[in-house]
Amino acid sequence: MTDATPALLAYLSRWLDESQGDRDAEAVLWGRVAKVSEEAGEAIAALVGATGQNPRMRPLWGNTHSYDDVVDELLDVAITAMTAAEPAGVTT
């Protein structure tokens, strides 16, 4: 983590909060943490697609994802987790 990381996470957190209106802070945190799980599921789906592990899809379309898709989804997981940690005080 660089010296700029906490400031960037705080900025991203404020940007996300702008769309939340007057929602309860605990509800917002629950939503952010749940979003980490959703993003992790997308990373797993991309890995399944990149390795051709879904026998139902493989005969029709072959591999449905690339390894670049897997990396993109893993980065989504990381950013989502970091922005979930910021309001929880984990980064302070």
Side-chain angles (χ1 to χ4, degrees):
M1 196 160 38
T2 69
D3 291 339
T5 302
L8 176 59
L9 293 176
Y11 170 81
L12 289 172
S13 182
R14 284 191 306 274
W15 177 73
L16 289 169
D17 286 343
E18 289 173 4
S19 67
Q20 297 300 315
D22 292 332
R23 285 186 66 208
D24 178 72
E26 185 174 329
V28 171
L29 179 59
W30 273 93
R32 288 192 190 184
V33 173
K35 182 70 174 168
V36 175
S37 180
E38 177 194 352
E39 294 296 341
E42 291 177 11
I44 292 168
L47 182 59
V48 167
T51 58
Q53 295 298 310
N54 188 339
R56 181 176 53 84
M57 301 293 257
R58 190 176 46 232
L60 299 174
W61 299 290
N63 292 11
T64 58
H65 293 77
S66 69
Y67 285 102
D68 286 342
D69 294 328
V70 176
V71 170
D72 288 346
E73 293 299 341
L74 288 171
L75 293 173
D76 283 349
V77 172
I79 292 170
T80 303
M82 289 189 300
T83 58
E86 197 282 330
V90 175
T91 61
T92 59

